[in-house]
Amino acid sequence: METTEKKLYTLLVYSENLAGLLNQITAVFTRRQVNIESLNVSASSIEGVHKYTITAWSDEDQINKISKQIEKKIDVIAADYYTDDQLFIREVGLYKISTAKVLENPEISRLIRRANARFMEVNPTFCSVTLSGLTEDITGLYFALDKYGCVLQYTRSGRIAITRSKKEEVCDFLKKQEMSMRK
């Protein structure tokens, strides 16, 4: 029996790096009225192949349909969806905070150190801080710093993820594809 409970799913999509493909992929979500929470596109470990890491709140039936629809795109090599327990996940947060506020309240520096964040730059006007971790770590530090009224700017990256699987499905797919082309 299918559940209609919405969860945060992460889609990993592998494709050639072609103009217009991102628009085609995001259109699949738009047609199904599913909002993308985060999107990260970068080169993958496979030469000539790009990796899209997309997060969205959905139920399993709908995310499965989205994944299959994306995989049908001619330039998409593979698309699959995962839950958080199937992945190693990271995001990066960048915080620009007031140097004056940091100097007047030592608790702000302690908070940054306790979060395992790092100061990247300190100048008379602002300090830039970075933190790598899970979404809740990144947003948690933001809310904690915001209570001190010291945040000048804040942003966080989209999610990046690798599977916990010992087998690389996309590599196996590419090997089979290469073998069939040689025949």
Side-chain angles (χ1 to χ4, degrees), residues 9-10 81-89 162-165:
Y9 286 96
T10 301
Y81 65 92
Y82 301 88
T83 55
D84 286 2
D85 61 323
Q86 297 171 303
L87 300 168
F88 291 107
I89 301 164
I162 55 175
T163 63
R164 291 181 180 268
S165 170

Side-chain angles (χ1 to χ4, degrees), residues 52-165:
Y52 298 70
T53 305
I54 306 166
T55 60
W57 288 94
S58 183
D59 60 67
E60 187 170 11
D61 182 52
Q62 188 171 49
I63 208 73
N64 184 37
K65 288 175 183 169
I66 288 170
S67 179
K68 283 184 166 75
Q69 201 171 0
I70 290 170
E71 202 166 44
K72 286 180 186 175
K73 302 285 178 203
I74 201 156
D75 299 311
V76 171
I77 296 164
D80 210 350
Y81 65 92
Y82 301 88
T83 55
D84 286 2
D85 61 323
Q86 297 171 303
L87 300 168
F88 291 107
I89 301 164
R90 283 293 172 267
E91 288 185 13
V92 174
L94 294 175
Y95 314 81
K96 184 177 182 180
I97 58 177
S98 163
T99 301
K101 298 265 186 183
V102 172
L103 292 174
E104 53 183 64
N105 190 341
E107 187 54 37
I108 296 171
S109 291
R110 283 194 282 277
L111 177 67
I112 291 166
R113 283 194 306 278
R114 278 195 306 269
N116 289 320
R118 292 181 319 133
F119 283 94
M120 297 185 315
E121 180 181 344
V122 177
N123 65 45
T125 309
F126 66 86
C127 304
S128 58
V129 174
T130 184
L131 176 62
S132 170
L134 302 174
T135 307
E136 49 272 16
D137 302 329
I138 307 298
T139 57
L141 180 58
Y142 166 74
F143 289 123
L145 289 169
D146 194 47
K147 288 179 183 172
Y148 291 100
C150 64
V151 179
L152 303 172
Q153 290 181 43
Y154 160 72
T155 191
R156 66 182 174 91
S157 69
R159 173 179 283 194
I160 57 171
I162 55 175
T163 63
R164 291 181 180 268
S165 170

Side-chain angles (χ1 to χ4, degrees), residues 13-80:
V13 180
Y14 294 87
S15 76
E16 296 177 49
N17 185 21
L18 298 172
L21 188 59
L22 176 59
N23 187 44
Q24 291 177 44
I25 290 171
T26 58
V28 173
F29 287 87
T30 303
R31 280 194 297 276
R32 295 197 174 267
Q33 297 183 340
V34 173
N35 189 45
I36 292 173
E37 291 293 317
S38 72
L39 171 69
N40 183 297
V41 183
S42 64
S44 75
S45 59
I46 304 162
E47 189 177 334
V49 175
H50 270 59
K51 180 179 180 179
Y52 298 70
T53 305
I54 306 166
T55 60
W57 288 94
S58 183
D59 60 67
E60 187 170 11
D61 182 52
Q62 188 171 49
I63 208 73
N64 184 37
K65 288 175 183 169
I66 288 170
S67 179
K68 283 184 166 75
Q69 201 171 0
I70 290 170
E71 202 166 44
K72 286 180 186 175
K73 302 285 178 203
I74 201 156
D75 299 311
V76 171
I77 296 164
D80 210 350

